[in-house]
Amino acid sequence: MFIEFFYTLRERGVPVTPTSFLRLHKALSTGLIHSLEDFYTVARSVLVKSERYFDMYDQIFAHTFQGVELVEPDDEEITEIAKALLEEWLKNPADIAAALGIDERELERLTPDELIQYFFERLKEQAEAHHGGNKWIGKGGTSPVGHSGYHPGGMRVGGGVSRNKSAIKVAMDRRYKDYSQDGPLTQSQIGEALKRLRRMVPAGPRDVINVDKTIYETIRSGGEIEIVYDRRLRDRIKVVLMIDNGGWSMDPYVHLVQTLFNYVRDQFKDLKVYYFHNTIYDEVWLDPPRRTKPERILDFISKDPETRLIIVGDASMAPYELMHTKGFIHLEKKRSRPSIENLQFLAETFRHSVWINPEEERWWGAWTIDNIRQVFPMFGLTLDGLDKTVHYLMSRN
Amino acid sequence: MNQENPLNKFRGASRYVLDDELAKIVNVSIALEMPLLLKGEPGTGKTMLAYAVAESLKMPLIVLNVKSSMKLIDALYQYDTLTRLNDSRFGDSDRNVSHIEEYIKMGKIGQAFVADVRTVLLIDEIDKADTDFQDDMLDVLDQMQFDIIEIDKTVSAKNRPVVIITSNAKKDLSDPFLGRCNFHHIAFPDPHMMRSIIDTHFPNLQGEIIEACIETFYHLRVFEGIEKKPATRELINWIRALRADPDFEISKLHRGEIPYLGVLYKKSSDVENVARRVTQSF
């Protein structure tokens, strides 16, 4: 049974190792585990090494020891969604009525119970028919569910409440859902992910003693002490961030991108932010409305090639915008070469460059995405994606 | 070591409210002789846990505050070359210059190893250091020994310390590191738990004041767009501030007047943001 448990964890993508499994058996032999609840706690502490997998662990635990089915979204989840929707409806009846496609007055006649029932049916339909097609039950930025800090089922932190609950119940609560890998990003998460983006170079006053040189110089001057000082290592990385801030296609991600932007702005001293619309033509702008401070792409050749270039955009547009010399959608502007060549030029100028796409990776179907991916490595704006971004940006040092 | 001994089982301490789950994990980690890695939001009591464990097990606590520039060697020992150089030049100390060992000072991990009694070693905020530091340190903790290169001597732990490691980060630490630790994530306390935490800190405070404060506190925590949310520490300080104020009445809180916002929020933009919203939300 434990072996099956172990392999289910592995299959479902929780990184568990044989060593930790053996260690779990060692823990079982210490005589400290008396109940299934103890086992739940100890096994999680020994096997699972990140709160991101706690939710998956809870599901698998309930599945293995109670036969709860591993399906998504389960009824409980839908209940949570329905609750959130109900709250939303109280605040904003017209929107929900429109989203559900029924008349507002008709909606008002329903009792809350009927309403929830109605939501249930619609949600199940929705989830099966076009999963994620409509943002209000998806994980997108505008969804009423899945705000950071929202805890479905409540967080259980010991105390009197928990003791009556069995481990299965606790596991079925799925109280760690918040920490699942695909959850919304917070500023601190972004901060942690980007913190490793550093390049240390000596700078500032010489106030650190270099022992080796001191000894050498002291011997050279015949035992007369000669102390040699060095500069401290400072972070001197240069970052250029280019953000797609135009077009309705980026709207759902505005909040996410802002979070990224805010963090990056106070973290990196040498940071330049530029804006563009959909894709990069001959110019990018220093001002968000993209009107007064253009900078020519060709001038970027004079920048330090060690600069890290990060482009944020959904990379989804009409193919001609990317490929055609007359692709620029603002007709009054003249351009000389297709956007894709500008992108290639940037990729050649800055060897450390990536494209971050805030759209969920599984929707990366657009033709232009494929093409841009041939120029820049593309990562999602998730914890995983940022991790890979940093890894990529620092790997060729 | 001998977990049969009831004295060696951790049961919580006078100023620390422990949940069952965490107590179990601490005990299993001690039994398995593994470091325990604690993650969680700031203010969930990660660091306090180590103090509580030390108090309850009656072991001395050694704290290693990790800094971003720290090298592993700093945590193990320090070879004071400059003093030796100085002594060799001027020779006015009673140290024997040709005896290098006299210039070796133990770092925090070293101190925990050479201590005559078993200690609790808290490695605080490990995520500040780089990955190399973390991996190298675990080798040392795994084998419970390290070498002092300068005098070619191996220092082994006389008593295996109880190791507690904390991390603020939501980012994962390296895999080899995680592989050698037990892991626990401390969630932010719910109002019920918070009530018992406040009770241990303010045993004489009236129930309704606590109730009102906690209610207001959780109400304030749900505001979005706050850079640094108030945590347990802020709540405790805030209650302390309220108690010190002779003009304070609970009815103020119910009316949505929240004094001393600056105790709860540490960034000026947050204070303004909250002050604006408080008036709307009550």
Side-chain angles (χ1 to χ4, degrees):
Chain A
M1 189 176 217
F2 290 164
I3 290 180
E4 186 199 319
F5 179 52
F6 177 75
Y7 278 99
T8 319
L9 284 170
R10 273 194 82 97
E11 268 164 34
R12 289 276 163 162
V14 181
V16 284
T17 59
T19 325
S20 59
F21 188 59
L22 290 176
R23 198 171 287 133
L24 176 63
H25 283 269
K26 197 175 155 200
L28 286 170
S29 65
T30 57
L32 284 170
I33 297 168
H34 307 293
S35 65
L36 190 58
E37 200 185 358
D38 289 359
F39 178 72
Y40 165 81
T41 310
V42 170
R44 197 187 65 212
S45 152
V46 173
L47 294 176
V48 187
K49 307 296 185 180
S50 168
E51 71 277 14
R52 283 194 277 159
Y53 301 109
F54 278 12
D55 178 44
M56 192 46 86
Y57 174 85
D58 278 0
Q59 288 185 57
I60 293 165
F61 191 88
H63 169 72
T64 312
F65 297 99
Q66 182 93 334
V68 175
E69 261 186 71
L70 287 171
V71 283
E72 200 134 1
D74 58 18
D75 277 358
E76 203 173 325
E77 212 163 338
I78 291 183
T79 316
E80 292 299 335
I81 294 171
K83 263 192 225 156
L85 270 179
L86 187 61
E87 275 168 28
E88 195 71 4
W89 170 73
L90 291 170
K91 277 184 261 165
N92 211 341
D95 278 8
I96 294 291
L100 286 169
I102 62 168
D103 190 58
E104 196 183 331
R105 270 163 300 167
E106 204 178 306
L107 197 67
E108 275 169 12
R109 277 201 296 276
L110 301 172
T111 67
D113 277 349
E114 283 170 341
L115 189 68
I116 286 185
Q117 189 58 35
Y118 187 77
F119 278 149
F120 256 79
E121 283 158 18
R122 291 304 305 262
L123 277 168
K124 276 190 177 157
E125 258 170 50
Q126 184 94 15
E128 283 154 20
H130 37 129
H131 188 71
N134 204 336
K135 280 288 184 239
W136 56 267
I137 60 157
K139 283 162 184 149
T142 52
S143 162
V145 289
H147 285 303
S148 54
Y150 175 73
H151 301 272
M155 293 298 243
R156 188 192 66 106
V157 187
V161 204
S162 66
R163 235 161 264 140
N164 313 326
K165 278 195 178 177
S166 69
I168 298 292
K169 265 271 185 59
V170 173
M172 276 177 66
D173 268 357
R174 298 190 50 197
R175 63 210 156 104
Y176 290 105
K177 201 157 71 169
D178 259 13
Y179 304 115
S180 288
Q181 254 170 322
D182 44 15
L185 274 179
T186 64
Q187 183 162 353
S188 65
Q189 284 175 318
I190 290 182
E192 290 312 327
L194 291 183
K195 203 178 258 172
R196 274 179 289 150
L197 199 55
R198 280 193 293 202
R199 188 156 152 264
M200 307 300 277
V201 288
R206 295 182 177 273
D207 57 356
V208 183
I209 293 164
N210 182 330
V211 171
D212 287 349
K213 273 198 190 142
T214 300
I215 293 172
Y216 182 77
E217 288 301 324
T218 303
I219 293 168
R220 257 172 57 102
S221 58
E224 209 50 57
I225 291 179
E226 188 73 47
I227 295 176
V228 181
Y229 290 95
D230 269 347
R231 295 185 200 281
R232 253 170 231 281
L233 290 180
R234 289 270 172 79
D235 187 14
R236 276 298 147 99
I237 194 163
K238 289 180 184 156
V239 179
V240 167
L241 183 65
M242 295 186 181
I243 299 177
D244 178 356
N245 73 338
W248 58 270
S249 61
M250 281 294 286
D251 279 357
Y253 312 114
V254 166
H255 182 73
L256 200 57
V257 174
Q258 266 173 354
T259 315
L260 173 75
F261 172 77
N262 281 336
Y263 175 77
V264 175
R265 194 175 44 181
D266 45 62
Q267 185 63 20
F268 300 112
K269 290 203 177 61
D270 199 337
L271 168 78
K272 277 258 166 88
V273 182
Y274 298 93
Y275 299 91
F276 62 94
H277 180 188
N278 272 0
T279 183
I280 294 167
Y281 300 97
D282 293 349
E283 290 159 334
V284 285
W285 282 263
L286 273 165
D287 57 319
R290 304 188 302 276
R291 227 171 272 135
T292 50
K293 291 181 202 150
E295 193 153 328
R296 272 155 43 94
I297 292 296
L298 285 175
D299 293 343
F300 278 82
I301 192 91
S302 62
K303 290 198 187 292
D304 182 357
E306 285 300 304
T307 303
R308 268 62 176 177
L309 170 68
I310 304 172
I311 304 178
V312 184
D314 62 357
S316 303
M317 66 206 87
Y320 70 85
E321 289 181 50
L322 187 63
M323 307 310 277
H324 204 276
T325 43
K326 297 190 170 158
F328 196 43
I329 56 173
H330 292 182
L331 287 171
E332 72 275 17
K333 300 275 180 191
K334 295 224 163 69
R335 64 312 75 189
S336 52
R337 52 180 189 173
S339 168
I340 190 86
E341 279 181 28
N342 281 314
L343 296 180
Q344 275 155 359
F345 172 78
L346 284 174
E348 282 159 21
T349 308
F350 304 107
R351 56 195 191 104
H352 307 283
S353 54
V354 292
W355 187 294
I356 296 181
N357 192 335
E359 197 160 3
E360 272 186 67
E361 201 161 341
R362 57 194 169 121
W363 307 118
W364 291 3
W367 184 85
T368 47
I369 291 187
D370 282 346
N371 275 275
I372 289 176
R373 286 181 86 173
Q374 287 171 15
V375 182
F376 294 105
M378 189 179 289
F379 303 107
L381 190 45
T382 59
L383 212 47
D384 253 14
L386 284 179
D387 239 27
K388 286 184 193 148
T389 304
V390 171
H391 191 76
Y392 181 83
L393 286 178
M394 300 314 287
S395 62
R396 290 179 299 172
N397 259 340
Chain B
M1 297 258 137
N2 45 344
Q3 64 273 6
E4 289 80 19
N5 181 351
L7 282 176
N8 267 6
K9 259 197 193 173
F10 175 52
R11 293 227 165 81
S14 55
R15 296 275 269 180
Y16 188 85
V17 182
L18 182 77
D19 75 78
D20 280 356
E21 205 173 63
L22 188 50
K24 250 176 254 165
I25 292 173
V26 171
N27 286 328
V28 164
S29 301
I30 297 175
L32 291 178
E33 302 184 335
M34 279 180 64
L36 172 60
L37 171 66
L38 294 171
K39 268 168 74 172
E41 259 186 78
T44 41
K46 299 181 294 293
T47 308
M48 290 308 291
L49 175 77
Y51 286 89
V53 171
E55 185 191 332
S56 126
L57 300 183
K58 299 196 171 51
M59 294 178 192
L61 176 70
I62 294 177
V63 185
L64 171 67
N65 285 306
V66 178
K67 295 183 188 73
S68 59
S69 56
M70 200 175 240
K71 300 265 180 310
L72 177 68
I73 200 108
D74 302 334
L76 301 176
Y77 69 93
Q78 201 193 353
Y79 171 31
D80 191 351
T81 41
L82 275 188
T83 307
R84 183 158 178 245
L85 195 63
N86 191 61
D87 285 355
S88 71
R89 174 71 180 77
F90 301 106
D92 52 0
S93 77
D94 45 12
R95 284 178 289 259
N96 181 354
V97 177
S98 54
H99 199 201
I100 297 180
E101 203 162 348
E102 295 197 27
Y103 297 94
I104 302 278
K105 288 180 191 148
M106 283 299 164
K108 294 293 178 187
I109 294 180
Q111 286 171 21
F113 281 11
V114 297
D116 291 323
V117 288
R118 199 175 179 200
T119 55
V120 176
L121 174 62
L122 168 66
I123 299 168
D124 213 7
E125 301 188 29
I126 181 88
D127 48 305
K128 278 191 192 164
D130 55 16
T131 326
D132 291 348
F133 176 87
Q134 298 163 10
D135 292 348
D136 296 350
M137 189 188 70
L138 273 176
D139 279 333
V140 171
L141 293 182
D142 218 24
Q143 288 151 24
M144 282 290 152
Q145 63 177 42
F146 62 87
D147 297 326
I148 299 177
I149 309 159
E150 284 81 0
I151 51 173
D152 198 13
K153 182 181 154 190
T154 303
V155 177
S156 308
K158 289 188 192 164
N159 297 287
R160 200 181 180 99
V162 176
V163 183
I164 294 179
I165 303 170
T166 74
S167 163
N168 271 330
K170 303 261 168 99
K171 163 193 92 176
D172 279 349
L173 300 159
S174 75
D175 288 340
F177 184 90
L178 293 169
R180 290 181 204 167
C181 295
N182 280 338
F183 174 77
H184 185 63
H185 178 269
I186 305 187
F188 197 82
D190 59 8
H192 190 89
M193 183 74 175
M194 189 56 90
R195 176 77 205 253
S196 25
I197 294 173
I198 297 301
D199 281 343
T200 52
H201 281 266
F202 302 99
N204 303 322
L205 205 57
Q206 278 171 6
E208 47 181 327
I209 296 184
I210 301 183
E211 208 91 319
C213 290
I214 292 180
E215 196 187 308
T216 314
F217 175 72
Y218 279 90
H219 183 83
L220 291 174
R221 262 184 69 88
V222 296
F223 287 156
E224 272 182 45
I226 299 298
E227 266 185 71
K228 192 182 174 311
K229 283 187 178 183
T232 317
R233 185 190 303 132
E234 277 76 33
L235 176 62
I236 291 171
N237 286 339
W238 186 56
I239 294 179
R240 208 170 274 153
L242 294 180
R243 283 183 42 167
D245 179 0
D247 296 333
F248 172 70
E249 287 158 27
I250 325 171
S251 55
K252 276 192 181 173
L253 289 182
H254 293 307
R255 284 203 305 273
E257 284 174 36
I258 301 175
Y260 310 117
L261 270 182
V263 179
L264 289 170
Y265 295 93
K266 305 293 169 63
K267 298 205 168 172
S268 53
S269 60
D270 285 353
V271 175
E272 285 163 25
N273 195 339
V274 170
R276 198 162 7 94
R277 291 216 232 160
V278 159
T279 39
Q280 297 163 3
S281 66
F282 275 92

